[in-house]
Amino acid sequence: MELLIEYAGRYGLNQQIVDDISRSFGQLYRDEAHPSALTRVLFDADNLDKLGSLGIANYFVKSGLKGNGISPDSLYRLTAELTYARHAPACMATPAGYELASRKAPETYQFILNLLKSLRDDGIFNFSVEAVTFDHLILDVVSPSECECRADLQRRLWKVKGVKCLEIHVEHFCPHCESRHEIRFCTPKLRARRPEGDVAV
Ligand SMILES: [Zn+2]
């Protein structure tokens, strides 16, 4: 919000619009029960950003900026991207968001499946996807077929109340060499019903 106000001042944006957007950011992060139309638009925009070919490209750009290439670490994390893609349409807050997510999510999904297949075929990383039901939600867990030491991996899932959301933690560990890998991501918030009507902002 501070950045928004700073930039808005610098570029002379309409104060009313700046105030409306500020309020919506607040609603978004406080997870308000009755968000305004603008808040719902921002929510969908924030989530649509991660979907489709551009969403995947940005995922790897971010991963690269953090110093990670295609590594076991980035492959384990695809669990979150796949799970979000699977549930994206059901999480959208506006009809337009629903339509866009329904179109873009399969692109994300198919890209990741193709990437994992290509890495397996080329003998680089043997990771695959398994649909796992946890707390009434289907997760697409990406993990290697076995530990680097060739022993079987064990999996553990649990939830933790984080600062911003209810986090799902997925851990893979090897009882033989004791290597361990954990990821965490926000639980997708599925809506009871599909969003209807026009959104007037
Ligand atoms: Zn091991």
Side-chain angles (χ1 to χ4, degrees), residues 78-141:
L78 290 173
T79 297
E81 305 309 306
L82 273 181
T83 301
Y84 287 146
R86 172 189 286 273
H87 298 292
C91 294
M92 291 292 144
T94 67
Y98 179 90
E99 295 301 329
L100 282 165
S102 302
R103 207 178 326 141
K104 286 165 176 269
E107 272 176 38
T108 309
Y109 213 85
Q110 203 51 52
F111 178 91
I112 294 175
L113 294 186
N114 290 345
L115 174 66
L116 293 175
K117 181 175 186 308
S118 170
L119 291 169
R120 282 196 304 272
D121 290 350
D122 294 351
I124 301 174
F125 292 114
N126 193 4
F127 276 62
S128 51
V129 184
E130 195 183 329
V132 175
T133 303
F134 173 64
D135 200 23
H136 309 294
L137 189 75
I138 300 176
L139 311 179
D140 296 276
V141 178

Side-chain angles (χ1 to χ4, degrees), residues 7 9 32 39 59 66 81 113 120 148 188 197:
Y7 278 95
E32 292 231 338
T39 305
Y59 172 80
K66 288 179 190 161
E81 305 309 306
L113 294 186
R120 282 196 304 272
E148 282 176 22

Side-chain angles (χ1 to χ4, degrees), residues 21-167:
I21 296 174
S22 272
R23 206 173 311 118
S24 282
F25 279 168
Q27 283 197 347
L28 208 55
Y29 284 94
R30 281 194 305 270
D31 207 10
E32 292 231 338
H34 302 288
S36 71
L38 180 59
T39 305
R40 288 188 285 137
V41 169
L42 285 175
F43 176 87
D44 283 6
D46 188 32
N47 286 285
L48 286 165
D49 197 38
K50 301 179 188 84
L51 289 179
S53 303
L54 182 60
I56 281 287
N58 282 330
Y59 172 80
F60 285 107
V61 168
K62 271 187 211 164
S63 186
L65 288 172
K66 288 179 190 161
N68 302 314
I70 308 280
S71 61
D73 196 52
S74 65
L75 297 180
Y76 270 117
R77 286 179 191 286
L78 290 173
T79 297
E81 305 309 306
L82 273 181
T83 301
Y84 287 146
R86 172 189 286 273
H87 298 292
C91 294
M92 291 292 144
T94 67
Y98 179 90
E99 295 301 329
L100 282 165
S102 302
R103 207 178 326 141
K104 286 165 176 269
E107 272 176 38
T108 309
Y109 213 85
Q110 203 51 52
F111 178 91
I112 294 175
L113 294 186
N114 290 345
L115 174 66
L116 293 175
K117 181 175 186 308
S118 170
L119 291 169
R120 282 196 304 272
D121 290 350
D122 294 351
I124 301 174
F125 292 114
N126 193 4
F127 276 62
S128 51
V129 184
E130 195 183 329
V132 175
T133 303
F134 173 64
D135 200 23
H136 309 294
L137 189 75
I138 300 176
L139 311 179
D140 296 276
V141 178
V142 179
S143 64
S145 59
E146 58 185 19
C147 180
E148 282 176 22
C149 77
R150 313 297 298 269
D152 284 342
L153 287 167
Q154 293 185 4
R155 181 183 295 150
R156 196 162 68 94
L157 295 113
W158 70 100
K159 281 190 171 186
V160 176
K161 181 94 186 75
V163 180
K164 221 177 84 179
C165 62
L166 186 59
E167 292 173 351

Side-chain angles (χ1 to χ4, degrees), residues 147-149 151 174 176-179:
C147 180
E148 282 176 22
C149 77
C174 172
H176 183 68
C177 72
E178 297 190 340
S179 76

